[in-house]
Amino acid sequence: MKKNKLLVVLLLVAASVSAQWKPAGDKIKTKWASQLDVNNVLPEYPRPIMQRDTWQNLNGLWEYSILNKGAAAPTAYDGEILVPFPVESSLSGVMKEVGAAKEVWYNREFTVPSSWKNKEILLHFGAVDWETEVWINGVKIGSHTGGFTPFTFDISPFLKSGKQELTVKVWDPTNDGPQPRGKQVKKPDGIWYTPVTGIWQTVWLEPVQAKHIEDVRTTADIDKSTVTFDVASADFSYGDVVEVTVLDGNKTIATAKAAAGEQLMITIPDAKLWSPESPFLYDTKIELSANGKPQDVIKGYFAMRKISKKRDDKGIVRMQLNNKDYFQFGSLDQGWWPDGLYTAPTDEALKYDIIKTKDYGYNMIRKHVKVEPARWYTHCDRLGILVWQDMPNGDDSRDWQNQNYHKGNEFERSAKSEAIYRKEWKEIMDYLYSYPSIVIWVPFNESWGQFKTVEITDWTNEYDPSRLVNSASGGNFFQTGDILDLHHYPAPKMYLYDANRVNVIGEYGGIGLPLEGHLWKTGNNWGYVKFNNSKEVTDEYVAYAEKLKELVSAGFSGAIYTQTTDVEGEVNGLMTYDRDIDKLDVKRVNKINSEVIHELHN
């Protein structure tokens, strides 16, 4: 009887909490917004490529205040915010502007499970935009800059008995600062979108031993049938051992051991290769031990795949996947949501756009000037889709022209701006290194913040020689990197050609179709060209694809259509912004896309 009463009380408390929160504003929303449970927000383990069994999710309702920059911590808070949705989003429950003159303060309590006693407690942030300071029980424990990468603090020394207090302060100057920000601006319009401030990915706790695995970097070599593991461990001593087990389902393929800190190479006999058509992943178990006693165990995965380039028998430099010519055809994916902005409402929603991209017959996604949560890349790995990863643009630009090779002066960043770019680009590459779906790095797009192009391209190539580098998508063009990437709207066109590099059209299309009831705003909705119904849009898409087939034979090795979904004022998506409607005929697009992809082999 007591248990039943307790259950009723807990249900009433949960219902009361839910009743206090609701989406803000009157903008359109996705179907997943109504499925949100404030007591169980994004409950999936945030980092599947490096997974432990025990963790605690800190998503949910936190207290928040928006104060002038530099103000003291609030003594009382403005209200509640649903973490991890950005302050400006509807699903945060706040939907307020912040700007460079103000800061956001977050606060919540949590309890460390008693079973975690004598463990080190790691506090993880998936991503916070942009400058973050963190306090535990009133003690400032650290800070981080960068809006797109995860960061972690060991909070063990600052814990007390009972409830713990976590306080976070965030400042984000949006386009008043030089930092990478993607499409965010203070006054969104056209191709520029609403600012994103604060916590926008999962916050979580994890217990570990003092000796634990901090990072795993995997590098596959299909030519040698090997995979290399670089395992970084905390507090390891001479004599500690790392053991890696590779599995195909429940079958153990190989096992190897190395001293902690040493690189470990494993041979994979009769390797199954990963591709969009057959996205096979090997599972891994990695164990760190000291004096024969297990200290840490993580589960993960890797793929045997190779991205490269090679001149074909017609003298054209082609991209290859697993040593075979392979045409990469995808959509420009901005990764924005009408209700969560940067943050998908649910994991199902996060996965949905990838599934739909494959339904349309594409084998690739260009992740445009945004970096996603780790689970998005794992979905790409598991579903089988190639990814071109952009560096989010920041700062300013000058002398953009995309009709010829650059002859003017490059943009000159300040020393501070350049340092921010280099730090964040390296952190992004480190964060995403082991995801096999990513095959191309894109340091610059359409000259936004483009500086020292040759130097940055060379560094990117040297830092990760396992992938291709598309140094300047859409200009400014320099004869550097692996790819010449043209942008041309609305129809695809080859107006430049480089005989010594891969040639692609990194953006084309942008066929607009505004649909009432599915628009972010009324009036002034934008597309490169606009039509009145699905048939007209599909007909135009097919006409462009027929032109693209000719250009494949002429030398293109990849193409990207703009874009996956409508975004705010842009109405040129394959789907509406709320993902309710496919605006094109999926079967017709799938058929012509398949023809474009296979044109390379005709």
Side-chain angles (χ1 to χ4, degrees):
M1 189 67 178
K2 288 183 178 180
K3 287 184 178 179
N4 290 336
K5 286 182 178 179
L6 179 61
L7 179 61
V8 170
V9 170
L10 290 174
L11 289 173
L12 288 173
V13 170
S16 175
V17 170
S18 299
Q20 294 171 18
W21 171 88
K22 63 179 181 179
D26 57 0
K27 298 287 189 181
I28 57 170
K29 293 172 180 60
T30 66
K31 64 182 179 182
W32 298 283
S34 63
Q35 300 170 12
L36 264 180
D37 178 359
V38 298
N39 302 298
N40 198 25
V41 181
L42 295 173
E44 298 81 9
Y45 189 84
R47 190 189 55 203
I49 204 167
M50 195 178 131
Q51 184 162 348
R52 294 186 178 94
D53 291 335
T54 305
W55 68 293
Q56 181 179 327
N57 195 334
L58 294 184
N59 291 342
L61 289 170
W62 296 36
E63 295 178 302
Y64 87 95
S65 282
I66 300 173
L67 301 177
N68 289 332
K69 189 175 188 299
T75 54
Y77 285 85
D78 297 346
E80 291 185 316
I81 184 169
L82 189 61
V83 169
F85 297 102
V87 179
E88 297 87 350
S89 72
S90 171
L91 293 183
S92 71
V94 178
M95 206 173 181
K96 293 179 180 178
E97 293 182 7
V98 182
K102 294 183 180 295
E103 295 168 326
V104 183
W105 289 83
Y106 297 82
N107 192 76
R108 68 156 291 162
E109 291 183 337
F110 66 91
T111 302
V112 177
S114 58
S115 58
W116 294 8
K117 188 178 180 181
N118 299 323
K119 297 284 185 73
E120 292 190 354
I121 310 302
L122 303 181
L123 170 63
H124 299 286
F125 292 85
V128 183
D129 196 5
W130 176 74
E131 182 179 87
T132 310
E133 296 176 62
V134 179
W135 288 258
I136 294 290
N137 297 320
V139 178
K140 183 179 175 181
I141 63 166
S143 60
H144 177 265
T145 58
F148 298 96
T149 51
F151 55 99
T152 298
F153 301 108
D154 176 4
I155 62 173
S156 310
F158 311 101
L159 299 177
K160 60 183 183 180
S161 60
K163 289 185 177 181
Q164 317 295 329
E165 184 182 29
L166 168 59
T167 306
V168 178
K169 182 177 75 171
V170 184
W171 174 67
D172 179 17
T174 313
N175 56 312
D176 284 334
Q179 81 290 345
R181 65 179 187 276
K183 291 289 193 80
Q184 305 174 52
V185 294
K186 292 183 296 183
K187 297 180 179 180
D189 186 49
I191 67 168
W192 305 101
Y193 315 143
T194 303
V196 168
T197 301
I199 298 169
W200 69 273
Q201 289 185 31
T202 292
V203 185
W204 49 297
L205 298 172
E206 201 169 34
V208 295
Q209 302 284 6
K211 296 176 185 286
H212 62 270
I213 297 167
E214 290 184 308
D215 187 42
V216 178
R217 179 176 289 214
T218 58
T219 308
D221 186 335
I222 70 168
D223 298 322
K224 296 179 180 178
S225 295
T226 62
V227 58
T228 300
F229 291 83
D230 290 284
V231 181
S233 303
D235 197 37
F236 72 88
S237 306
Y238 187 73
D240 294 350
V241 173
V242 170
E243 180 176 6
V244 177
T245 303
V246 176
L247 302 117
D248 178 350
N250 293 322
K251 181 182 178 183
T252 298
I253 300 299
T255 302
K257 297 180 181 180
E262 290 295 313
Q263 190 179 77
L264 199 154
M265 181 181 291
I266 297 177
T267 299
I268 308 298
D270 302 316
K272 297 178 181 179
L273 302 184
W274 182 98
S275 70
E277 295 74 29
S278 179
F280 180 82
L281 298 173
Y282 288 94
D283 292 322
T284 58
K285 185 178 82 169
I286 302 177
E287 182 175 300
L288 173 67
S289 61
N291 298 317
K293 297 180 180 179
Q295 302 295 306
D296 195 9
V297 177
I298 63 167
K299 296 176 182 178
Y301 65 86
F302 70 91
M304 298 296 288
R305 75 101 184 91
K306 177 184 177 182
I307 183 71
S308 57
K309 60 182 180 179
K310 186 178 181 181
R311 197 176 297 276
D312 67 13
D313 55 8
K314 296 178 182 178
I316 298 171
V317 180
R318 297 289 188 186
M319 277 191 289
Q320 292 198 320
L321 182 66
N322 300 330
N323 294 324
K324 295 179 181 178
D325 292 352
Y326 192 91
F327 189 84
Q328 298 188 26
F329 192 17
S331 59
L332 192 76
D333 190 323
Q334 313 264 15
W336 284 74
W337 301 84
D339 34 31
L341 298 180
Y342 260 16
T343 310
T346 67
D347 191 63
E348 182 188 355
L350 188 70
K351 187 177 179 180
Y352 183 80
D353 286 0
I354 306 167
I355 293 171
K356 291 299 300 184
T357 301
K358 294 208 73 169
D359 287 348
Y360 271 104
Y362 297 108
N363 58 23
M364 175 262 284
I365 288 170
R366 179 180 172 200
K367 180 49 63 176
H368 191 41
V369 296
K370 185 198 177 192
V371 178
E372 293 287 0
R375 291 192 64 86
W376 187 86
Y377 297 96
T378 290
H379 288 320
C380 290
D381 294 341
R382 290 174 175 164
L383 292 168
I385 198 141
L386 303 170
V387 176
W388 296 15
Q389 179 60 58
D390 287 9
M391 169 63 170
N393 60 284
D395 213 318
D396 206 344
S397 63
R398 60 172 296 172
D399 294 341
W400 178 43
Q401 56 79 38
N402 65 350
Q403 298 297 313
N404 210 326
Y405 287 103
H406 194 261
K407 297 178 180 177
N409 296 318
E410 287 186 271
F411 177 65
E412 292 185 15
R413 288 181 180 245
S414 68
K416 179 180 179 182
S417 172
E418 181 173 333
I420 289 171
Y421 177 96
R422 290 179 183 273
K423 171 186 178 290
E424 295 196 26
W425 185 221
K426 180 181 180 297
E427 287 180 353
I428 289 168
M429 293 175 68
D430 286 339
Y431 160 46
L432 298 177
Y433 181 88
S434 294
Y435 294 93
S437 53
I438 300 173
V439 292
I440 291 175
W441 298 119
V442 187
F444 300 113
N445 176 76
E446 292 186 346
S447 88
W448 300 339
Q450 186 174 339
F451 74 106
K452 297 183 179 178
T453 309
V454 174
E455 181 181 334
I456 295 296
T457 300
D458 288 348
W459 178 84
T460 304
N461 259 319
E462 290 166 5
Y463 195 66
D464 181 9
S466 71
R467 292 180 171 94
L468 302 182
V469 179
N470 180 0
S471 60
S473 183
N476 294 325
F477 299 130
F478 289 76
Q479 290 177 311
T480 186
D482 301 296
I483 297 168
L484 174 65
D485 179 340
L486 310 179
H487 292 185
H488 191 271
Y489 288 99
K493 182 178 180 181
M494 184 182 287
Y495 53 85
L496 278 179
Y497 179 76
D498 192 323
N500 296 312
R501 289 189 291 166
V502 173
N503 293 267
V504 304
I505 182 156
E507 291 183 30
Y508 81 96
I511 306 169
L513 175 62
L515 293 178
E516 290 296 328
H518 302 275
L519 299 175
W520 172 262
K521 62 180 183 179
T522 57
N524 196 30
N525 287 293
W526 183 85
Y528 287 93
V529 289
K530 284 202 281 191
F531 291 87
N532 298 311
N533 56 59
S534 177
K535 184 181 183 304
E536 290 179 358
V537 174
T538 304
D539 288 345
E540 191 75 355
Y541 182 95
V542 171
Y544 293 171
E546 292 290 353
K547 291 182 181 179
L548 186 56
K549 284 164 65 175
E550 298 173 8
L551 296 174
V552 173
S553 301
F556 273 154
S557 292
I560 296 168
Y561 177 79
T562 301
Q563 61 185 338
T564 308
T565 71
D566 293 350
V567 184
E568 299 201 357
E570 293 186 55
V571 292
N572 48 20
L574 300 165
M575 297 181 283
T576 53
Y577 197 16
D578 55 16
R579 278 73 167 172
D580 271 4
I581 297 177
D582 288 306
K583 296 201 288 181
L584 282 72
D585 184 321
V586 178
K587 289 184 178 179
R588 284 185 66 195
V589 173
N590 182 295
K591 181 177 181 296
I592 193 66
N593 283 355
S594 179
E595 292 176 14
V596 171
I597 289 168
H598 292 100
E599 183 68 26
L600 194 58
H601 304 291
N602 291 339

